[in-house]
Amino acid sequence: MQSDSLDGTARPQDGEGLGVLPEKEPPAPHAPREAILEVRDLVRHFPLTQGVVVKRQVGAVKAVDGVSFDLRRGETLGLVGESGCGKSTVAKLVTSLETPTAGSILYKGEDVTRLSGRALKAVRRNIQMVFQDPYTSLNPRMTVGDIVGEPFDIHPEAAPRGERRRRVQELLDVVGLNPEYVNRYPHQFSGGQRQRIGIARGLALRPEVIVADEPVSALDVSVQAQVVNLMERLQDEFGLSYVFIAHDLSVVRHISDRVGVMYLGKIVEIGTEREIYEHPTHPYTQALLSAVPVPDPSAGERRTRIVLEGDVPSPANPPSGCRFRTRCWRAADRCAQEEPVLQVPAVLRHAEGPAHHPSACHYAEEKERIVPG
Amino acid sequence: MVERAPESPSAADEPPAGSPTAAAAGGGGGTGAAAGLAAPGEQAPGPAAPPGTEPGPSGQARSLWSDAWHDLRRNPVFVVSALLILFLVLISVWPGLIATRNPLSCQLNKSLDPASPGHWFGYDTQGCDVYTRVVYGARTSVTVGVCATLGVAVAGSVLGGLAGFFGGWWDALLSRVTDVFFGIPIMLGGLVFLSMTGSRSVWTVIAFIVLLGWPQIARIARGSVISAKQNDYVQAARALGAGNARMLVRHILPNAVAPVIVTATIALGTYIALEATLSYLGVGLQPPTVSWGADISDASQGMQFRNAPHILLYPAAALSLTVLAFIMLGDAVRDALDPKLR
Amino acid sequence: MTQTQTQPVPPSPSGPERLLEVRDLHVEFRTREGVAKAVNGVSLDVAEGETLAVLGESGSGKSVTAQAVMGILDTPPGRVTGGRILFEGRDLLALREEERRSVRGARMAMIFQDALSALNPVLSVGYQLGEMFRVHRGSSRKEARERAVELMERVRIPAARTRVDDYPHQFSGGMRQRIMIAMALALEPRLIIADEPTTALDVTVQAQVMELLADLQREFRMGLILITHDLGVVADVADEIVVMYAGRVVESAPVRELYRAPAHPYTKGLLDSIPRLDQKGQQLDAVKGLPPSLLRIPPGCGFHPRCPVARPLCHADEPPLYEVGRGRASACHFWEELLDAE
C-alpha cells in the first residue's frame, strides 16, 4: 500500500536522528531573532445585538481583549488555552479573516490591519493558515489538484500557468502524498491525509508565517504524531514561522519554542517552552498543566494536582480585575480591583533563571512538581 | 501491503522540497503507462477510498464539471431523461413532425369517441383528435414549465444567494419581501394580476409564475448558501486572498446548488399544472391556445372522463412523463455534482 | 474471519463478582461498498467496582462494542453476527427486545461524548432527569422533580435547586456532562458505559468530570467501561485496559503493566507517539501508515502493514490472544521479544 511509503513517517527525511536535517535551533531567549510579526494590544469584540429590524447593541463578547506578542523568524509560538479563551479568534485576526476592533498586527513593520485590496492580498501570500477540521476545510467538490492549485489561480504571479500542475504535484510530494492523487476528491482520503492536503495548500505560495489552528486535534493519536513531525520538517526546510494554536498542552510543548497561555481573551503568561512548562508562575498555567492527563499511571502520585472549581466565565461579562480570580485559589481583594499587567512580576524581577518571564498575576510564584519529572 | 508498489513514483525515495528530482518523479509517474494500472492494494488507504476505480493518473487535470459530465454520459437515468426532454423540445418546435392533423379542426359528431385506427387516442368532448392535441399541447406546456422554472430558479438563486452571502440589510429586506410574497395566495394573485392584463400570452403567464414563484427558491438558496458559507474551505479561500466572485462561484455555488435543483425540477410540474388551473379559471390562456393543462381541466369537468377516460388519461400521462423526465434529470445532475456518490 | 484458533479468554480478576462477560462478539455493518467488519471476536470482562478502559482509535470498533453491549446498535445496517454478552448471568443477545429495554437504563446506562446533542433542548434538565423516575418508577411529578434535584446535587452542580428548571443550553459543557452522568446514575445501574465522556471538554473541566465519575463509581461499586482514544485520561482511573485495533482486542492488561511494558507493537506505538509533558524530545515516534478500512482488513495480523516488527508469519497467521503474564494477554506472535526488550 502506497501509504506505507508515502504517508508513513518512516521516511528517512523525517528521521531527524539520521542527521539529514539541520538540528532545530534550540530556543534562544537571550538572543532574540528578528520579529516577523508583532501583535500589539489586539482587541476583537463581537457585538451582541437585539431587535430584528432596528438592531441595537446590548453588549459585546470580548473574544480577544488586548493581546500582544512577537513572532520571530523561524520560531514556533504556541498558544494554549481552553475553549472560549480567544485563541482561534487570534488566528483569524492574524490571517486577516477577522478585522480587529483595535490594535495592530505588524508584518515586517507594516500594519496589516490597515491594508485592503491589492496590498492585503500581497500580505496574505505570506501569512497562511492551516485549519482544524480537515473535513470542512477542503471543498468536497474540488479535486485535490484544484484545491492545492487554487493559490496559484488567485495569485497568478506566483507560478506561470504551464508550471502549476507540476508545482501542485511537488507540493503533494513534499507533504508526503502521492503526486498522482491530483484528480481525487477529499472524501477519498483519511483525516490525516486531508490535513496534509490542507498543509500543502498553505505552503503553495511559500509563505513565511503559517498560523495553524488546532491542526492535529481532529486526528487519531497515531496520525497526530505524523502530522506534527511533518510540520517540524517543513519548518526546517522552508524556514517557516509558526503560530501553533492548540488546547493539547503536550503537543504544544513538543513543537513550540515559546508558549503563550490564554485565558478569557488575554495572554496570562508567556515565555519559552521551558519557562512555561517547568517554571510556571501564573496560577492558571499551573492548574492547566496539573490537569493534563499523563499517560503513566504511576505519575499520579508524583505530582500535585490542582483541580479548578467551576467553569470559565462568559467572555461577554468577564470578571473585574484579574479575569481568573473567580476560579483562583490564591485570589485576594486586590485581584478584583486591579487588573494585573503581563510583565515580569515584581517578586520575581530579581530572580535569576527561568521563573523570570512575563506573567499577569499579582501573586505570581513558582510552584513545585506541577509536571512529574 | 508493506512492499511499495514498484511503479509508484516513490516520492519517499526522493529528496523533497521542490527539487527538480522530485518534480521529475511526479511527472514521470504521470506519463508512465504502467502507473495508470492501479495495482491491487495500491489505492488510497483511507477508509473512504473506493476500490481502484480511478482512471489513474492521466496527464489531464480534472475538475468537478468535467468529472460530472463524464459521469452523466454513463448514467442511464440521465441518458433516458435527456432523450425524452430532447424529444419534447423537438415536438414543441415542430409538432408537424409526428402529427399531421390540425388540433383546432374538430368534429362535434365524434365527441368522446374511443380510439380508432388513425386516431389512437380517441376524441375529446369537442370531437377533436386527442393525439393531435397532446402533441400540439406540448409547446405551451413545455414552454411554460421550462421557462417559468428557469426564471424562478435564476431570479430566486441570484437574489437569495446574494442575500445569504452578503447578509446585512439586503438580507433583512429580502427576507421580509419573501414573507410578503408567501402571504399572497397564488390563485387570488393570479386572478388579480392576470385579469388586469388585457391580452394574455404564454409569456404573461410565465411572468406571473416567476413573480410569485421566486421567493420559494430564494429562501432555499439563501439557506444553502449560508450553510455552505460557514465551511472552513470558504475561509481558507479568503485567507488565500480570493475575492467574493471566486468564493461564490468556485466554493459556494457547487456546494449550494443541489437543493435548488431538486426544488426547481419538482416545481416544474406544478407550474405546468398551475397554467392549467389558471386557464380553467379563465385568467390563463385563451381557448385557441392548445395546452395539456387546458385539456386536463376540460376533461375533468362534469365527470365526462368516467365514460371516456382517454380524454383525461393521455394529456395527464404526457404531463407526468414530462415532469418525471425533468425530475430524473435534476436528480442525475445533482448526483453527478457530488463526488461522494461516485 | 474464521474462528479456527481457540481464543483464550482474557483472564479476569478473581474476587469481585463478574458483572459483564462479552465473549467472541462479532458485529458487521452492511454498507454500499460491502460488509464492514466492525467487531471481530472481542471478549472482555468487567467486575463490580472495576473500571475497564477500552482504548482505540477511530474505526477500532470500541464504540460499536459498547453499542452492542447496550443494545443500541443501529440495525440495519449494523448486526451482531456472533458471540455472547452475559450481563448479571443472562445472555443479553438471547433476550427479547422488551426484556432488553428493561435492562437498559435501569441495570446498565450509557454516557455519551456530546452532552449537548444527547439532551433534548426544549425540555428543562429537571424534567429530563425526572422522566427517568416517572417512566421507570411511576413517580409523581413532584417527587420526580425532588429526585432530579438530589441527582444534580450528587453530581455536584452548584445551586441545583435553582437550576433544576433551566434548559440544557444554559449550562456549560462540563455541567451538561454532569447532567448526563446524573441521568445515567438515576436508576442506580450496576454498569455504566462512558463513551469518550471527556473528549469534548477542556482539560481543567476534564479533570473535574473524571474525578466525579471515579468517586461515584467507588461509592456505588458499579462496573465502569470507559471508552476512549486518550491514553492520558485512562492512566489515572482505569484498573484494566483493553486495546482494540481493527475490531479486535490486541492487548489486555492491568493498567500499570500496560504502560510499563506494552506487549503489543500497536500499544507501544501509541504510547510512543504521544508527546509527553515530562519528556520533550525532538521527533515523535509516529506509527507509520493509517488504520485499515474495515471493509478490507488485512489478512493475518490486522496491524502487520504498520508494524515495525512484522515478519512473514504475520501476513498469514492471525495471532490469537496469547497469555503473556498474570492477567495479561497480547495478540502478537512476537510478544516475548517486546517484553524482553523493555
Side-chain angles (χ1 to χ4, degrees):
Chain A
M1 190 174 276
Q2 231 146 30
S3 66
D4 295 313
S5 53
L6 294 171
D7 205 61
T9 37
R11 304 174 52 161
Q13 301 91 326
D14 282 4
E16 62 84 38
L18 297 174
V20 177
L21 298 171
E23 283 285 310
K24 193 167 152 186
E25 273 187 58
H30 302 298
R33 281 163 283 181
E34 163 208 358
I36 190 162
L37 209 60
E38 293 163 69
V39 172
R40 291 289 171 271
D41 304 317
L42 204 58
V43 175
R44 178 65 172 118
H45 290 180
F46 294 100
L48 291 170
T49 53
Q50 257 182 8
V52 182
V53 184
V54 186
K55 293 208 163 76
R56 108 196 118 81
Q57 189 173 337
V58 292
V61 174
K62 296 168 180 143
V64 174
D65 208 10
V67 162
S68 305
F69 61 83
D70 283 353
L71 178 68
R72 295 167 197 156
R73 191 178 286 281
E75 81 166 351
T76 301
L77 174 70
L79 280 183
V80 290
E82 297 177 284
S83 52
C85 71
K87 56 190 194 300
S88 289
T89 311
V90 169
K92 291 201 166 118
L93 290 166
V94 171
T95 50
S96 308
L97 289 173
E98 295 270 0
T99 324
T101 310
S104 61
I105 301 164
L106 302 177
Y107 168 71
K108 292 184 175 168
E110 183 180 25
D111 191 350
V112 178
T113 62
R114 293 176 198 286
L115 299 180
S116 63
R118 204 174 290 270
L120 177 62
K121 203 172 160 185
V123 169
R124 277 188 159 144
R125 266 190 73 168
N126 290 314
I127 306 176
Q128 276 300 308
M129 181 146 175
V130 172
F131 291 82
Q132 168 177 12
D133 186 346
Y135 291 86
T136 64
S137 61
L138 306 179
N139 187 338
R141 285 161 209 264
M142 279 166 77
T143 61
V144 169
D146 284 348
I147 291 171
V148 178
E150 189 172 30
F152 301 131
D153 292 345
I154 296 169
H155 298 269
E157 73 283 2
R161 192 156 265 290
E163 283 253 307
R164 286 183 199 169
R165 193 176 162 74
R166 194 178 60 75
R167 291 281 287 272
V168 166
Q169 292 190 325
E170 271 176 40
L171 282 163
L172 290 179
D173 186 30
V174 163
V175 297
L177 287 173
N178 188 336
E180 294 170 26
Y181 289 167
V182 282
N183 282 334
R184 295 194 180 194
Y185 289 89
H187 72 93
Q188 292 170 298
F189 295 89
S190 68
Q193 290 176 311
R194 286 168 182 236
Q195 202 56 293
R196 286 169 190 261
I197 297 168
I199 292 171
R201 171 178 61 191
L203 279 179
L205 299 170
R206 292 284 170 86
E208 295 184 272
V209 178
I210 285 191
V211 180
D213 185 7
E214 304 263 12
V216 297
S217 38
L219 306 177
D220 274 324
V221 182
S222 71
V223 180
Q224 266 186 15
Q226 295 174 1
V227 174
V228 168
N229 285 345
L230 171 70
M231 289 188 68
E232 292 194 319
R233 177 167 67 79
L234 294 174
Q235 178 166 45
D236 293 339
E237 263 170 38
F238 296 103
L240 297 165
S241 311
Y242 287 143
V243 178
F244 190 98
I245 293 168
H247 67 273
D248 186 329
L249 288 135
S250 326
V251 172
V252 168
R253 176 171 203 189
H254 180 82
I255 200 168
S256 302
D257 303 313
R258 288 190 309 129
V259 177
V261 181
M262 287 190 70
Y263 187 79
L264 268 185
K266 285 184 182 296
I267 291 183
V268 295
E269 187 166 5
I270 191 164
T272 65
E273 159 270 314
R274 188 164 149 252
E275 286 167 351
I276 297 296
Y277 282 82
E278 284 170 21
H279 306 274
T281 60
H282 196 284
Y284 177 63
T285 313
Q286 293 167 350
L288 201 61
L289 286 172
S290 83
V292 174
V294 174
D296 178 2
S298 54
E301 295 124 45
R302 284 187 279 119
R303 64 167 170 174
T304 33
R305 196 158 199 181
I306 309 160
V307 177
L308 287 180
E309 295 291 315
D311 292 305
V312 183
S314 158
N317 187 20
S320 65
C322 172
R323 298 191 169 190
F324 182 59
R325 72 179 162 84
T326 53
R327 298 174 78 194
C328 183
W329 66 98
R330 311 188 51 193
D333 290 345
R334 183 182 169 200
C335 302
Q337 287 136 20
E338 205 180 312
E339 186 171 336
V341 183
L342 181 63
Q343 61 187 16
V344 180
V347 276
L348 299 167
R349 201 155 288 161
H350 305 293
E352 289 292 314
H356 184 94
H357 61 266
S359 168
C361 178
H362 296 306
Y363 302 101
E365 164 183 88
E366 249 194 280
K367 203 167 167 71
E368 292 295 307
R369 296 205 309 170
I370 296 292
V371 175
Chain B
M1 303 262 282
V2 198
E3 63 278 319
R4 190 175 293 143
E7 72 275 23
S8 80
S10 10
D13 295 337
E14 305 291 344
S19 63
T21 36
T31 48
L37 309 166
E42 197 220 333
Q43 69 278 83
T53 50
E54 294 297 305
S58 61
Q60 277 272 284
R62 293 180 3 218
S63 71
L64 179 69
W65 305 103
S66 69
D67 278 345
W69 177 235
H70 178 269
D71 263 29
L72 280 176
R73 278 179 302 171
R74 281 157 189 76
N75 182 351
V77 174
F78 173 78
V79 173
V80 168
S81 59
L83 286 177
L84 205 60
I85 290 167
L86 190 69
F87 171 73
L88 283 166
V89 170
L90 279 178
I91 63 163
S92 308
V93 182
W94 298 290
L97 281 179
I98 56 162
T100 47
R101 294 184 185 79
N102 182 344
L104 300 174
S105 76
C106 308
Q107 297 154 284
L108 265 180
N109 60 346
K110 298 209 170 148
S111 173
L112 300 179
D113 272 9
S116 58
H119 301 273
W120 307 313
F121 290 5
Y123 294 91
D124 69 3
T125 328
Q126 302 294 319
C128 312
D129 181 41
V130 173
Y131 172 76
T132 311
R133 287 191 69 89
V134 166
V135 172
Y136 276 86
R139 177 182 291 179
T140 320
S141 298
V142 171
T143 311
V144 169
V146 172
C147 294
T149 306
L150 277 179
V152 164
V154 169
S157 353
V158 169
L159 292 171
L162 293 179
F165 185 69
F166 290 107
W169 65 268
W170 168 237
D171 185 29
L173 181 74
L174 186 101
S175 300
R176 296 294 86 76
V177 171
T178 52
D179 288 348
V180 170
F181 272 93
F182 271 111
I184 301 174
I186 199 148
M187 280 305 140
L188 190 66
L191 284 171
V192 173
F193 177 83
L194 289 170
S195 61
M196 287 192 313
T197 56
S199 65
R200 292 184 290 272
S201 71
V202 173
W203 301 106
T204 330
V205 174
I206 291 171
F208 164 72
I209 295 176
V210 172
L211 186 70
L212 281 199
W214 71 267
Q216 187 197 4
I217 298 283
R219 197 166 263 206
I220 288 160
R222 176 180 173 269
S224 59
V225 164
I226 286 176
S227 74
K229 181 173 83 165
Q230 284 160 353
N231 280 307
D232 280 349
Y233 53 77
V234 180
Q235 293 289 306
R238 217 147 79 81
L240 285 169
N244 284 337
R246 162 170 285 272
M247 281 191 279
L248 264 169
V249 173
R250 289 281 274 169
H251 295 284
I252 293 177
L253 178 78
N255 287 292
V257 80
V260 172
I261 291 179
V262 173
T263 326
T265 48
I266 291 170
L268 187 126
T270 36
Y271 296 153
I272 295 178
L274 181 63
E275 177 266 314
T277 319
L278 292 169
S279 301
Y280 173 69
L281 290 171
V283 293
L285 301 169
Q286 258 86 65
T289 323
V290 186
S291 85
W292 295 335
D295 284 3
I296 291 170
S297 48
D298 280 351
S300 9
Q301 279 176 53
M303 297 293 189
Q304 284 148 336
F305 61 87
R306 278 202 185 164
N307 305 321
H310 61 267
I311 62 167
L312 179 65
L313 185 69
Y314 292 112
L319 172 64
S320 313
L321 211 60
T322 309
V323 171
L324 192 68
F326 279 100
I327 288 181
M328 273 168 27
L329 183 82
D331 255 14
V333 171
R334 183 197 55 182
D335 288 356
L337 289 179
D338 190 348
K340 281 182 208 136
L341 296 177
R342 284 206 193 110
Chain C
M1 189 181 81
T2 47
Q3 233 19 63
T4 41
Q5 64 278 84
T6 48
Q7 291 230 353
V9 161
S12 69
S14 50
E17 203 182 324
R18 216 179 262 181
L19 200 58
L20 178 78
E21 282 176 53
V22 176
R23 286 292 168 274
D24 198 21
L25 186 71
H26 287 258
V27 182
E28 290 180 359
F29 282 83
R30 285 175 195 283
T31 67
R32 272 195 335 167
E33 287 93 31
V35 175
K37 294 185 170 159
V39 178
N40 306 301
V42 163
S43 300
L44 42 89
D45 291 273
V46 185
E48 275 189 354
E50 183 191 46
T51 301
L52 173 76
V54 179
L55 191 78
E57 298 180 281
S58 51
S60 63
K62 58 188 194 304
S63 291
V64 176
T65 304
Q67 286 166 5
V69 170
M70 255 329 258
I72 54 166
L73 204 63
D74 277 334
T75 19
R79 204 159 58 93
V80 177
T81 52
R84 284 180 305 154
I85 301 173
L86 293 170
F87 177 66
E88 297 182 314
R90 282 195 293 178
D91 187 355
L92 295 181
L93 294 174
L95 295 184
R96 279 177 296 125
E97 181 50 32
E98 307 90 273
E99 293 173 309
R100 271 205 98 167
R101 211 177 304 147
S102 69
V103 172
R104 209 152 50 220
R107 306 298 300 163
M108 61 164 80
M110 193 151 176
I111 299 167
F112 297 90
Q113 172 177 350
D114 185 359
L116 186 58
S117 69
L119 290 166
N120 185 336
V122 299
L123 299 175
S124 73
V125 297
Y127 183 89
Q128 293 183 61
L129 283 169
E131 202 170 19
M132 306 290 289
F133 300 105
R134 287 195 304 278
V135 172
H136 285 272
R137 299 274 154 84
S139 310
S140 71
R141 211 161 246 276
K142 194 163 177 251
E143 206 177 288
R145 195 185 131 97
E146 214 38 51
R147 300 296 296 276
V149 174
E150 273 172 37
L151 274 175
M152 285 170 74
E153 278 165 354
R154 184 168 284 165
V155 294
R156 302 171 204 158
I157 292 176
R161 196 162 290 280
T162 56
R163 301 212 65 185
V164 67
D165 294 319
D166 283 357
Y167 289 87
H169 73 268
Q170 291 168 296
F171 291 86
S172 67
M175 287 297 152
R176 277 198 291 265
Q177 197 53 279
R178 284 164 195 260
I179 291 163
M180 286 305 298
I181 293 173
M183 210 174 253
L185 285 175
L187 303 173
E188 295 180 14
R190 298 313 305 146
L191 177 70
I192 288 205
I193 302 177
D195 191 353
E196 305 267 7
T198 60
T199 307
L201 305 176
D202 284 318
V203 253
T204 56
V205 182
Q206 223 172 51
Q208 297 168 359
V209 170
M210 282 317 298
E211 202 177 73
L212 171 75
L213 210 54
D215 286 355
L216 290 169
Q217 186 218 8
R218 262 195 300 280
E219 191 182 332
F220 294 100
R221 282 196 60 70
M222 298 175 297
L224 174 64
I225 299 181
L226 191 65
I227 292 164
T228 182
H229 70 278
D230 190 332
L231 284 150
V233 167
V234 294
D236 289 342
V237 288
D239 302 311
E240 298 275 323
I241 291 196
V242 163
V243 182
M244 285 185 70
Y245 186 80
R248 294 177 199 150
V249 172
V250 294
E251 182 167 3
S252 71
V255 68
R256 269 164 196 273
E257 311 229 347
L258 184 119
Y259 283 90
R260 189 180 51 80
H264 194 282
Y266 175 63
T267 318
K268 185 166 162 36
L270 277 184
L271 283 169
D272 289 344
S273 66
I274 20 177
R276 293 180 51 167
L277 280 183
D278 47 347
Q279 294 169 359
K280 184 174 163 85
Q282 282 292 312
Q283 180 88 7
L284 296 173
D285 288 322
V287 185
K288 63 177 178 170
L290 300 167
S293 157
L294 295 175
L295 296 167
R296 289 178 295 275
I297 297 177
C301 170
F303 185 60
H304 83 253
R306 304 177 71 188
C307 182
V309 300
R311 276 163 235 189
L313 173 67
C314 308
H315 301 224
D317 271 1
E318 188 191 327
L321 265 181
Y322 296 103
E323 190 164 342
V324 303
R326 225 179 97 77
R328 296 196 62 172
S330 160
C332 178
H333 291 304
F334 303 105
W335 60 270
E336 282 168 306
E337 291 173 26
L338 276 163
L339 285 185
D340 288 346
E342 285 296 324

